[in-house]
Amino acid sequence: MYDQPRANPSPTTMTFDQMLERVRYEGAHATRERSEEAVRTVLATLGRQLTGEERVDLAQRLPVEAALTLTAQSPAAEQLTGWGFVKDVAERVGTTQAVARWDTGAVLSVVARLAGPDLLARILRQLPGGYALLFGQAELRQPEPAA
């Protein structure tokens, strides 16, 4: 007897509810609804910045609801720097840049764990400078040669 073909299993090890609870803990949010707002806003903004295989691979590792938020966005014509990303999140939610930075870090640190180190490295190579810290990683740069 032959095994039936199976779809590639998703490496997601977290449900959407678990993701929201993790973000709630990381971001010290008072309510689940506040965490969900942060997750949806940050993932929608990230969805406008990522393209290609990195976008597809990340979507496969996220819970379905989070993946749908990420992939529902059309990629932007111009990529934002890490700080530009935070300012965009602040404008979309109508909050301060400090709160947006806090929320972005809480969400993207959870996303980094779901992505894993290899995919996260690919994502960071695709994005402009300033994103590593948002994902809870050190931003290492090659020294520029002296002129």
Side-chain angles (χ1 to χ4, degrees), residues 73-144:
Q73 307 305 312
S74 297
E78 192 173 319
Q79 285 188 316
L80 300 171
T81 63
W83 185 240
F85 184 93
V86 170
K87 291 193 304 190
D88 191 46
V89 168
E91 288 172 14
R92 289 179 188 285
V93 178
T95 190
T96 67
Q97 292 173 2
V99 170
R101 169 62 182 92
W102 184 265
D103 286 349
T104 298
V107 173
L108 294 183
S109 66
V110 174
V111 169
R113 282 187 225 125
L114 289 169
D118 294 337
L119 177 55
L120 181 58
R122 289 177 29 222
I123 289 169
L124 291 174
R125 278 193 299 271
Q126 184 186 108
L127 295 170
Y131 279 87
L133 291 174
L134 298 177
F135 281 96
Q137 307 293 306
E139 180 126 17
L140 303 175
R141 296 197 174 263
Q142 294 291 334
E144 294 182 23

Side-chain angles (χ1 to χ4, degrees), residues 16 35-45 65-66 69 107:
F16 189 61
S35 295
E36 185 169 356
E37 176 187 26
V39 167
R40 292 193 186 279
T41 303
V42 171
L43 288 179
T45 307
E65 299 88 338
T69 300
V107 173

